[in-house]
Amino acid sequence: MANFNLKINGQSHQVEVDEDTPLLWVLRDHLGLVGTKYSCGIAQCGACTVHVNGEAMFSCTMPVSSVGSDEVTTIEGLSKDGNHPVQKAWDEVDVAQCGYCQAGQIMTAAAFLKKNPKPTTDEIENAMNRNICRCGTYHKIREAVAMAAKTK
Amino acid sequence: MATTIKTNRRDFLKIAATATGGLLIGFGWSSCDTPKVQVLSTEEVLAKAHNFNSFLSISPDGDIVIYSPNPELGQNIITSFPMIVADELDADWKKVRVLQAPLDNQRFERQLTGGSGAMPHSWERLRKAGASAKYLLLSAAAAKLEVPQEELYAEESMIYHKNSKKKISYGELVMDAAALEIPEEVPLKDPKDFKLIGTPVKNVKNKEMFTGQPLYGLDVYKDGMVNAMIQRAPFGMKIKSVDDAAARSVKGVLDVVVFKNNVAVVGSTTWPLMKAKRMLKIEYEPDGAVESTFDHDRLFAEMLDAKTAQIMRQDGDVDAAFKNAAQVITAEYQCPFLPHAPMEPQNFFAHVKEDSAELIGPTQTPDRARMETARLLGIPVENITVDITRLGGGFGRRLMADFVVEAAELSKILDKPVKVTWSREDDNTGGGYRPAVRYRFSAALDEAGNMIGYKLRGAGMNAGNTTRENNFPSGAVPNVLIENVNHRSTVTTNAWRAPITNFLAYAEQSFLDEVALAAKKDPVAFRLELLKKAKNEPVGQLGYDVDRMIGVVEGAAERANWGKNANVKQGFSVYFSHRSYVAQVADIEMENDQPVLKRITAVTDCGVVVHPTGADHQVRGGIVDGMGHAMFGNLTFENGMPKQRNFDSYRLIRMKEVPEVNVHYLQTPFEPTGLGEPALPPTGGAIANAIYAATGQRLRAQPFIEQKEYSSLNLQIKRA
Ligand code: FES
Ligand code: FES
């Protein structure tokens, strides 16, 4: 067990956990930030996507010891009131079915659009291909990312 | 045309006013023998949200609360059901709050999600609930405004007088409406006057979903709760010995408990359990047949050749038809086991006390979860509560109650509240799969290419009836024999989105394509010819409506420009399941000498489309699901253990693999039928038939990418 001082959504948090504990479980079990989801645990599906220094990362395979003083943003901290352009587009397009994958999808899309504000459809698909949606909402995700890019 | 409908008085709860002046009009959504009058102030309505039953309630300030009784797993019933109530009520949608109701079979019937059955079951009930409330409000308004009721109309939670400027809000009328008798009959709206039904109302849970609020079973954290993960046994095996020393040494592990065939590791948080579970040394021994995929292959061959089988349907004289045939076509089709793989793995919270239990989590059948828990633990049913969280997908797996009962049993053993979390590997290896099946089809054609005989034998692994004996082409062929053989496997199976039809439709629609080609007929013309026979001279019992079937076949051929463009290689498929009709056309185009799967066009007849966004989601989702599993899905076994345990080896479809999908509906006047399933069955057949049209290769087994012919196809499934 070790102590970690994490910067999450602009606040610092102290946790005492084993150093191999994935950031995902620190968020969910220790900090009550349950918007970041567990689905595969092996970096295959993207349900656990968070931003680390603005980069979309799979939190399920990121040991807490590797986070250091990096800035972590979770879906809860993406915007104040759900008004990030990506969240708004997700609402506008009504993207979700079960919704379980969508926090991860939104986080991937938000990081991607920051880097590439005017993406082509191919670029959107390449970026979003790392996130699985078992309900098959891919058409709507693509539409919402394109919409967010326009409304930014 | 507006219709008048008889109210079942017991369908509606009486109205009550409270002493404090806060009040509520309550209307149950279903019949119950002893209507209870709920007396709650507005504050209580909201504060007691989870403690009371299904109502449409209206407070004096005009707030409306509508409870959604059915589990929500992505079909968006939590939006579409309240829309129906609110539309008949002419409610101001902005003032409607929707809440998920807990399990309560005093108030609700059929509080489950499965079989695409919620909408057909509830359509009229929901309309009546809204219409009756509106009727009472109109009556109260007529008395208050001193005008005839016929001169009043309602709009957005207000009642207006046609001939004057008089108006009054629902909130102001609640008290008076509360004193009135529920009428014998209430008028329902003319569908052309629907304001919400048929419009793309947004999902009422968007904000919570898109800001990461706790909604799902895995998000349940309760005071004093421990976490647990369970190692379950391979199929056909039982525990011989357990060495838990290493697992217990993991920091954060509180206990290791062996019960039934389970080894549970218990701790305060999840990660130590994931580590500890891997350190368990469990020896298993056979407890029945320990099967591998190799054994299943042998069993299938035996079942298809077995002397006897259960006869599901027999018309005419099949032997004679095949004897006299000018041509006989025979083919076998095979589909593997599949896990459901919802994105949220199975999980459940249970707190079992001396003589009661609290259950919380994602279940498609809260009632079954409660009954099975009651039976196992000997607790009276009425002492068990079930709160339904949002479900991170279900696909049928959550119709089972194994994951609830084991959590309850563990809570009882530990004497603590516990949340059991399944890892992805647990979820993939935990059984309840779509059964594996193999079919043998034979068709007899006469000189003119008419199908005069049709034989189907289905063989399944714990599949029950693998056929749909009264479905097309039954009814269109004079001599038919449909048989079923089942093997009792130790590998457990369960409903999987569009049970049976999810693979039968692919096999049958591909085979019909083979027959059409052998008869030298266009696949669409061939199907229409059969359907016309079923219409004009039906043979035996028909489980489908021929006209509606013809409607979607013609609709899809037209929308997809069937056969109009020689550069587009097309595959056709049509299926009736779960009360809805769906025809699909898959288009493959050649690009740089490479066949590319470009688009799928679907035409659906599901009656009235209540919620276009929800319907669109279900049709697209069904097609993407149908395609993904036809292309990639495979679960194979070695010594009772599934080999594909996580998404690295169990492949799910991704965005880049999804073609364009065009969704159309026939405007038909029928009552709405469900869409959670019917769009999935036709997809595999449409794609397989398009692949044949483009490449001359017939894929007679799923998953397609694992067939030996597949690699030579050079098929591009990315969008171009
Ligand atoms: S849970 Fe992290 S990628 Fe799937
Ligand atoms: S919306 Fe259900 S997994 Fe994506």
Side-chain angles (χ1 to χ4, degrees), chain A:
Chain A
M1 293 273 195
N3 267 303
F4 297 93
N5 194 350
L6 302 171
K7 273 199 255 163
I8 300 168
N9 299 334
Q11 289 184 349
S12 66
H13 293 272
Q14 296 273 343
V15 286
E16 200 192 332
V17 291
D18 267 340
E19 50 194 41
D20 63 353
T21 308
L23 175 60
L24 168 67
W25 294 109
V26 173
L27 295 171
R28 292 186 59 84
D29 282 353
H30 297 268
L31 301 174
L33 293 166
V34 297
T36 306
K37 298 300 189 213
Y38 165 73
S39 185
C40 73
I42 58 163
Q44 288 289 319
C45 75
C48 63
T49 304
V50 298
H51 296 173
V52 179
N53 292 338
E55 194 87 32
M57 303 290 278
F58 297 141
S59 66
C60 68
T61 48
M62 173 175 265
V64 63
S65 57
S66 73
V67 178
S69 59
D70 291 353
E71 296 269 359
V72 176
T73 306
T74 70
I75 185 73
E76 292 92 340
L78 183 63
S79 65
K80 268 230 166 56
D81 194 28
N83 52 12
H84 185 281
V86 173
Q87 286 166 311
K88 286 199 289 193
W90 246 248
D91 176 54
E92 198 50 43
V93 176
D94 221 358
V95 169
Q97 286 190 36
C98 82
Y100 195 78
C101 73
Q102 299 297 349
Q105 306 274 8
I106 289 170
M107 295 307 281
T108 300
F112 164 65
L113 288 176
K114 198 150 203 183
K115 280 199 191 151
N116 185 348
K118 292 215 163 12
T120 63
T121 304
D122 274 358
E123 288 168 340
I124 293 175
E125 294 195 339
N126 280 329
M128 299 309 296
N129 208 50
R130 57 194 249 145
N131 287 59
I132 292 175
C133 174
R134 173 68 178 83
C135 298
T137 63
Y138 296 121
H139 297 106
K140 312 251 178 208
I141 292 170
R142 200 173 58 204
E143 186 185 338
V145 177
M147 179 184 285
K150 285 210 190 82
T151 56
K152 239 176 188 176

Side-chain angles (χ1 to χ4, degrees), chain B residues 321-531:
Chain B
F322 277 80
K323 217 175 22 258
N324 301 330
Q327 203 183 157
V328 170
I329 303 101
T330 296
E332 286 180 19
Y333 282 82
Q334 165 85 49
C335 300
F337 284 100
L338 292 180
H340 300 74
M343 287 303 273
E344 179 190 23
Q346 308 307 317
N347 63 87
F348 229 81
F349 170 89
H351 189 186
V352 175
K353 297 180 206 145
E354 190 53 34
D355 200 31
S356 68
E358 181 189 13
L359 305 172
I360 308 174
T363 168
Q364 292 176 249
T365 49
D367 203 28
R368 177 173 179 188
R370 172 157 71 180
M371 303 245 286
E372 291 194 15
T373 303
R375 199 176 310 132
L376 179 81
L377 300 179
I379 296 174
V381 169
E382 54 289 2
N383 292 359
I384 300 177
T385 60
V386 186
D387 279 322
I388 310 160
T389 59
R390 190 176 179 87
L391 282 62
F395 310 102
R397 182 61 179 82
R398 290 182 160 112
L399 291 165
M400 296 173 79
D402 56 333
F403 51 92
V404 185
V405 174
E406 65 174 18
E409 191 170 7
L410 185 58
S411 169
K412 173 143 182 151
I413 293 167
L414 298 169
D415 195 16
K416 281 194 181 84
V418 64
K419 178 171 74 178
V420 177
T421 298
W422 295 42
S423 66
R424 173 58 52 197
E425 289 81 2
D426 296 335
D427 201 86
N428 258 34
T429 58
Y433 305 119
R434 178 186 88 166
V437 284
R438 189 177 291 178
Y439 291 107
R440 180 181 290 159
F441 295 89
S442 305
L445 295 178
D446 68 10
E447 296 291 351
N450 294 308
M451 186 150 71
I452 51 170
Y454 178 71
K455 284 198 284 193
L456 165 62
R457 178 180 283 197
M461 298 286 157
N462 290 338
N465 177 11
T466 60
T467 74
R468 288 291 177 266
E469 64 276 6
N470 297 329
N471 218 340
F472 184 75
S474 290
V477 185
N479 307 293
V480 168
L481 176 65
I482 297 181
E483 300 172 310
N484 186 57
V485 195
N486 193 36
H487 168 70
R488 276 185 178 276
S489 170
T490 44
V491 176
T492 58
T493 62
N494 190 55
W496 193 103
R497 191 179 197 175
I500 305 297
T501 59
N502 65 54
F503 44 80
L504 171 59
Y506 143 70
E508 174 203 291
Q509 289 295 307
S510 299
F511 179 68
L512 284 184
D513 220 56
E514 297 194 55
V515 180
L517 289 162
K520 304 206 169 31
K521 289 178 183 168
D522 169 79
V524 172
F526 178 68
R527 286 171 175 83
L528 285 171
E529 194 183 295
L530 284 170
L531 284 163

Side-chain angles (χ1 to χ4, degrees), chain B residues 648-662:
Chain B
D648 49 352
S649 50
Y650 186 73
R651 183 167 164 191
L652 290 170
I653 193 165
R654 290 174 183 268
M655 182 182 276
K656 274 166 56 173
E657 293 148 350
V658 172
E660 179 188 331
V661 172
N662 299 320

